[in-house]
Amino acid sequence: MKTATPSPASLLSFYPSRCSTLERSEIRHMAKRRLTRRQSWRIEKIQQERQARAQRREAHVETLLEDEHLGPEQEGRVVASYGASVDVEDPAGGLHRCHLRQHLGTPVCGDHVAWQVGSRGNGVVVAIRSRRSALIREMPDGGERPIAANLDRVGVVIATRPTTPMGLIDRYLVAAEHLGIHPFLVLNKIDLLEPGELAELEESLAVYSRIGYELIPASTVTAHGLDALRAALGGHTSVLVGQSGVGKSSLINCLIPSVEARTAALSEATGKGMHTTTTARLYRLPGDGSLIDSPGVREFALGHIPAAEVGPAFIEFRPFLGHCRFRDCAHRDEPGCALRGAVDSDAIDPRRLASYHRIVDSLAGGEPGQR
């Protein structure tokens, strides 16, 4: 029986980290136009090959599970995920490459797991413990993928180059606040600015400082702000998020000298960051705490958050929510809107209210998560 041909979008979402760069580029290109019979055949063939490899891996893991010398369950924490396998850190700090039990799901950085070791030293993850939090990223096909789990802090890294749209900053803040995590901002690469330019940029970001978000100006070149960043991260499990090229990996290299996270220069053609971190990884901070380096993104959608829960994630909106004249107020042109009144009295920055509207509109219409 002939199998249904998958769409390019579904194939990319199903195998986001396993497709080669050439395959991903070709599939995206094909997604923009009608597929020929040969192209449809190629997509189907790629999917069949990937599924066959996945089935072989699952069979291998099940063989390990049947090993009569499989050791007792022990606890560990995931420090890196590669799709078919993960690196697990044991309580003593040792690292173990582990396969995943069939139908278990995919653990992510920060997950606490139960795992067992086989007679040949192969590890098998057999359970994922309950998460107290998980930072979620919506995929292009509408699916969801956790980025990191069991977080205490989220650091949103922005830079002088590439510049970060305010809408993208707000989406990260909303995602963190929705988890009950109060985030902070890191303005990186300030060494690239003249003093007057830095003051101007800090003033443009003062909207966040005024509503209670810590803003840490930083430079890996001059080591400016690194002590403040260490203080913000100490004793917590934290993740750094932001666009590609804002310098997350460079910051980690400075904070943890023993780490050699990959870095790269900006693209000369576009001025945008290039992906150097392809999978999230958890690192131990000197002293106490853990830090997760996440892959950079150019868009960050919030489709997993109900529209009704976006407003409370704008922290300066909270005193005014529920005080509009109409219960179903959309906070646009309705008479008696408490948020519009707060904008008029300078209690809410109009740019933040406009950002709120863009996020809510995107949830209704599938608009990209950046502006």
Side-chain angles (χ1 to χ4, degrees), residues 246-324:
V246 295
K248 300 186 298 296
S249 296
S250 295
L251 287 169
I252 288 176
N253 287 338
C254 288
L255 294 170
I256 314 173
S258 60
V259 167
E260 294 183 0
R262 291 181 58 201
T263 62
L266 299 179
S267 166
E268 294 183 2
T270 65
K272 297 180 179 179
M274 297 183 291
H275 296 282
T276 53
T277 301
T278 56
T279 184
R281 187 164 190 91
L282 182 147
Y283 301 100
R284 289 270 193 175
L285 288 165
D288 189 22
S290 303
L291 181 57
I292 297 173
D293 185 13
S294 68
V297 299
R298 291 178 185 155
E299 294 180 354
F300 186 78
L302 297 171
H304 61 288
I305 299 179
E309 297 180 18
V310 174
F314 280 73
I315 58 175
E316 74 273 38
F317 290 11
R318 293 172 185 172
F320 306 100
L321 293 173
H323 296 283
C324 296

Side-chain angles (χ1 to χ4, degrees), residues 29-201:
H29 179 67
M30 289 189 293
K32 298 178 181 178
R33 55 189 172 85
R34 294 190 59 144
L35 302 181
T36 66
R37 183 177 300 176
R38 179 172 181 79
Q39 289 165 342
S40 297
W41 171 84
R42 174 167 171 74
I43 290 176
E44 183 177 356
K45 186 172 182 294
I46 290 173
Q47 187 179 42
Q48 290 173 347
E49 290 173 350
R50 305 291 182 186
Q51 288 175 334
R53 281 199 286 270
Q55 289 170 355
R56 288 195 294 271
R57 284 193 298 269
E58 289 174 354
H60 174 64
V61 173
E62 291 306 310
T63 299
L64 289 177
L65 288 171
E66 294 172 0
D67 185 346
E68 62 181 0
H69 298 104
L70 204 61
E73 282 192 13
Q74 48 189 310
E75 298 298 312
R77 182 167 62 165
V78 174
V79 299
S81 175
Y82 307 103
S85 61
V86 294
D87 284 344
V88 175
E89 181 184 61
D90 64 31
L95 291 180
H96 310 267
R97 180 64 55 88
C98 295
H99 299 284
L100 305 177
R101 189 170 192 170
Q102 191 174 2
H103 308 308
L104 181 68
T106 303
V108 297
C109 274
D111 267 325
H112 297 285
V113 298
W115 67 284
Q116 297 171 276
V117 63
S119 58
R120 291 173 290 180
N122 298 298
V124 179
V125 173
V126 295
I128 303 174
R129 303 306 188 197
S130 297
R131 295 166 174 162
R132 69 173 186 272
S133 65
L135 185 64
I136 304 293
R137 179 186 175 192
E138 185 183 3
M139 303 308 294
D141 68 336
E144 299 173 2
R145 183 193 301 167
I147 298 174
N150 300 311
L151 298 168
D152 304 310
R153 302 226 64 187
V154 174
V156 182
V157 182
I158 57 182
T160 59
R161 182 169 178 259
T163 57
T164 302
M166 184 175 183
L168 182 57
I169 297 173
D170 288 340
R171 287 171 185 270
Y172 275 124
L173 298 180
V174 166
E177 292 288 351
H178 185 256
L179 293 176
I181 298 173
H182 191 63
F184 61 94
L185 300 174
V186 181
L187 174 58
N188 197 21
K189 304 186 183 182
I190 62 170
D191 55 282
L192 299 179
L193 297 176
E194 298 297 328
E197 293 176 313
L198 176 59
E200 183 179 344
L201 184 54

